[in-house]
């Protein structure tokens, strides 16, 4: 590709970025599942058909201390209503993590995602892009799991670093980020559903740091919906620990926030915890909580990766037993990366061109160039995915 063609591509990229920047996401018009889902407080499916998803997101090192709590809370005899084991997402840091234990939980069906304890992600410049990939590579190498099975990223203390971080996540083939916070005004208000960043992050006032300004095709945002205790927002479940004076207070805190989702818009309820001490100190209450919600019959404790698979292929409660991704360990056909983003198929020449353009173009232009090539690959090499379970069509009438 000669210099003239490169200049032409940059020119076209600027035009596309300008045109795309003013678009509003409209489901089934300019955003289509399974690769795109608009931000919303109301899922198009009938509320009575939606399984109440609950996920645990634990931040920090995985070691023998934290393992004792996980073994109690997620013991193998605990199963969801589809008779498959419950699961959780572990955002683990490389430092102080026991890699043998990590492999054990991976094989049990837990999701292993990436966090960064060293805070090097806060470095400015393109070093951010290197750090995001390095942490994923380290986890894959030391634990012995495929790079393609590492789907999620969470910035330390939920402090996202803007467009460079999200561009790096996309180029490193992460499926989702869970670093941005959404806080509602009252416990009975609705929380936001997970969505893709095809049209950016619309909740500007909710960011604890730098929101992404650009759009990122197919990259899921899993909002950290703050929990509420006595009118105060709790970014992490343990952020309001000083107000939890006893077992009853903690159990009520968990159940009240769960009910705000269950009796509300049925958006996934995330319990995000970044302190191993909190899990150990409140293990009894967490155990009681899990035991209680599993009695409901339409509540599923899943990991974030499983939750995204449901978002991609919404399936009625009546058909959920046939939904393959919600079976974790001991079930063949776990659908590890059955649905792959075709952007993983960039050639060496295309990747080299992107590396060169990093030095001479803005983040928005670089992103748009990559999307152009990704779409070319989708046209040339896309394979039809035919799930074995029923999908709920999201038609134009679903959004009013």
């Amino acid at each position: 590709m000669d210099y003239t063609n490169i200049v032409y591509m940059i020119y076209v990229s600027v035009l596309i970025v300008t045109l795309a920047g003013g678009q509003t996401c409209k489901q089934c018009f300019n955003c289509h599942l399974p690769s795109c889902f608009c931000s919303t407080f109301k899922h198009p499916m009938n509320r009575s058909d939606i399984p109440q998803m609950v996920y645990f997101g634990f931040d920090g090192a995985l070691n023998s201390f934290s393992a004792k709590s996980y073994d109690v809370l997620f013991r193998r005899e605990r199963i969801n209503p589809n008779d498959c084991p419950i699961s959780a997402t572990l955002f683990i840091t490389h430092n102080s993590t026991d890699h043998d234990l990590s492999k054990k939980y991976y094989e049990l069906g837990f999701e292993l995602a990436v966090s960064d304890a060293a805070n090097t992600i806060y470095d400015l410049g393109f070093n951010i892009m290197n750090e995001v990939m390095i942490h994923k590579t380290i986890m894959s190498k030391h634990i012995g799991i495929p790079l393609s099975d590492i789907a999620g990223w969470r910035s330390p203390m939920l402090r996202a670093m803007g467009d460079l971080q999200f561009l790096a996540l996309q180029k490193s083939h992460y499926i989702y980020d869970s670093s941005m916070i959404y806080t509602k005004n009252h416990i009975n208000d609705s929380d936001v559903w997970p969505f893709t960043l095809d049209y950016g992050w619309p909740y500007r006032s909710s960011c604890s740091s730098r929101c992404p300004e650009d759009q990122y095709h197919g990259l899921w945002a899993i909002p950290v919906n703050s929990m509420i205790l006595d009118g105060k927002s709790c970014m992490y479940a343990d952020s309001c620990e000083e107000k939890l004076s006893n077992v009853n207070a903690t159990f009520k805190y968990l159940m009240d926030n769960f009910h705000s989702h269950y009796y509300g818009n049925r958006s996934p309820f995330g319990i995000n915890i970044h302190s191993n001490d909190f899990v150990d100190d409140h293990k009894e209450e967490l155990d009681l909580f899990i035991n209680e919600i599993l009695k409901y019959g339409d509540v599923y404790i899943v990991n974030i990766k499983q939750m995204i698979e449901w978002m991609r292929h919404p399936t009625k409660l009546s058909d959920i037993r046939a939904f393959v991704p919600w079976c974790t360990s001991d079930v063949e056909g776990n659908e590890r990366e059955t649905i792959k983003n075709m952007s993983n198929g960039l050639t060496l020449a295309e990747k080299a061109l992107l590396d060169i353009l990093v030095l001479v173009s803005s983040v928005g232009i670089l992103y748009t160039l990559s999307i152009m090539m990704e779409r070319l690959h989708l046209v040339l090499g896309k394979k039809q995915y035919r799930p074995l379970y029923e999908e709920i069509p999201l038609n134009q009438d679903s959004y009013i």
Side-chain angles (χ1 to χ4, degrees):
M1 183 177 292
D2 58 25
Y3 177 77
T4 302
N5 287 334
I6 292 177
V7 172
Y8 177 74
M9 288 180 66
I10 293 176
Y11 174 80
V12 173
S13 299
V14 173
L15 179 62
I16 293 175
V17 169
T18 302
L19 294 175
Q23 287 187 318
T24 299
C25 188
K26 295 181 179 179
Q27 199 69 41
C28 295
F29 289 89
N30 56 9
C31 180
H32 303 273
L33 286 176
S35 61
C36 180
F37 189 72
C38 297
S39 60
T40 183
F41 294 94
K42 185 178 186 294
H43 196 279
M45 184 186 289
N46 289 333
R47 186 183 163 282
S48 59
D49 290 326
I50 300 174
Q52 178 59 64
M53 292 171 277
V54 176
Y55 73 88
F56 286 81
F58 297 101
D59 296 17
L62 176 56
N63 49 42
S64 58
F65 177 72
S66 56
K68 291 178 182 178
S69 297
Y70 300 152
D71 288 342
V72 171
L73 298 176
F74 299 93
R75 49 191 180 269
R76 291 294 86 188
E77 61 267 26
R78 273 193 161 150
I79 57 175
N80 283 315
N82 62 350
D83 297 326
C84 291
I86 66 175
S87 183
T89 295
L90 309 179
F91 291 98
I92 60 177
T93 58
H94 175 59
N95 297 334
S96 303
T97 284
D98 185 319
H99 298 123
D100 290 334
L101 271 177
S102 300
K103 185 66 176 292
K104 166 194 167 183
Y105 285 106
Y106 169 78
E107 292 173 346
L108 287 173
F110 283 64
E111 180 196 359
L112 303 186
V114 184
S115 187
D116 175 22
N119 293 341
T120 50
I121 191 68
Y122 299 143
D123 294 345
L124 296 178
F126 288 99
N127 189 45
I128 293 174
M129 303 180 78
N130 293 329
E131 292 294 333
V132 167
M133 178 48 114
I134 286 171
H135 284 282
K136 186 176 184 179
T137 304
I138 287 174
M139 178 186 289
S140 174
K141 178 181 178 181
H142 287 272
I143 299 175
I145 61 178
L147 275 171
S148 60
D149 272 2
I150 303 172
W153 168 273
R154 174 170 286 175
S155 295
M157 301 306 297
L158 306 178
R159 293 175 60 187
M161 284 301 292
D163 284 296
L164 281 177
Q165 175 187 318
F166 289 89
L167 180 63
L169 292 174
Q170 188 175 65
K171 292 302 139 193
S172 300
H173 309 309
Y174 284 83
I175 293 174
Y176 71 87
D177 170 86
S178 185
S179 303
M180 292 182 288
I181 305 161
Y182 177 79
T183 300
K184 55 190 178 183
N185 295 321
H186 187 273
I187 192 170
N188 291 326
D189 292 343
S190 294
D191 285 294
V192 66
W193 279 80
F195 61 96
T196 60
L197 291 170
D198 291 63
Y199 295 87
W201 173 267
Y203 309 107
R204 299 295 173 193
S205 61
S206 65
C207 288
S208 62
S209 53
R210 299 218 308 264
C211 295
E213 298 289 338
D214 274 329
Q215 298 91 37
Y216 299 92
H217 176 69
L219 181 64
W220 285 82
I222 309 301
V224 178
N225 289 311
S226 295
M227 296 173 66
I228 305 293
L229 179 61
D230 297 334
K232 177 185 176 181
S233 64
C234 311
M235 174 170 78
Y236 283 99
D238 50 306
S239 298
C240 298
E241 185 176 12
E242 70 280 358
K243 291 189 173 184
L244 303 174
S245 56
N246 54 54
V247 172
N248 290 335
T250 304
F251 179 72
K252 183 178 185 301
Y253 165 57
L254 295 170
M255 290 302 300
D256 286 349
N257 281 274
F258 164 75
H259 283 149
S260 73
H261 293 254
Y262 186 78
Y263 295 114
N265 66 351
R266 285 291 177 105
S267 59
F269 175 43
I271 303 175
N272 299 287
I273 301 173
H274 80 310
S275 168
N276 288 331
D277 290 333
F278 178 86
V279 181
D280 187 60
D281 293 342
H282 298 277
K283 188 160 43 182
E284 179 183 354
E285 301 96 296
L286 290 166
D287 191 55
L288 287 171
F289 170 74
I290 292 174
N291 188 62
E292 181 65 24
I293 65 174
L294 287 177
K295 296 177 182 177
Y296 280 61
D298 54 359
V299 174
Y300 287 77
I301 301 176
V302 295
N303 60 52
I304 294 176
K305 198 173 176 182
Q306 290 174 310
M307 182 177 71
I308 290 175
E309 286 305 307
W310 188 93
M311 294 297 304
R312 285 171 161 170
H313 304 280
T315 303
K316 288 182 179 180
L317 268 169
S318 57
D319 300 302
I320 209 69
R321 282 183 173 271
F323 188 61
V324 178
W326 278 16
C327 279
T328 54
S329 62
D330 305 320
V331 179
E332 188 175 358
N334 193 4
E335 275 203 6
R336 295 184 186 276
E337 296 304 308
T338 299
I339 307 170
K340 287 190 176 181
N341 191 322
M342 292 304 295
S343 65
N344 294 5
L346 295 178
T347 67
L348 291 175
E350 290 168 332
K351 290 178 180 177
L353 176 60
L354 289 176
D355 290 339
I356 293 171
L357 289 176
V358 165
L359 301 176
V360 296
S361 61
S362 68
V363 169
I365 295 173
L366 178 62
Y367 165 71
T368 306
L369 286 172
S370 69
I371 292 303
M372 291 169 63
M373 284 183 282
E374 287 168 9
R375 288 177 178 171
L376 177 61
H377 277 273
L378 283 171
V379 172
L380 297 177
K382 186 174 181 181
K383 295 181 179 180
Q384 182 68 30
Y385 172 67
R386 301 182 65 85
L388 300 177
Y389 43 84
E390 179 184 355
E391 295 180 23
I392 304 303
L394 302 185
N395 53 45
Q396 297 177 4
D397 297 332
S398 299
Y399 281 85
I400 300 176

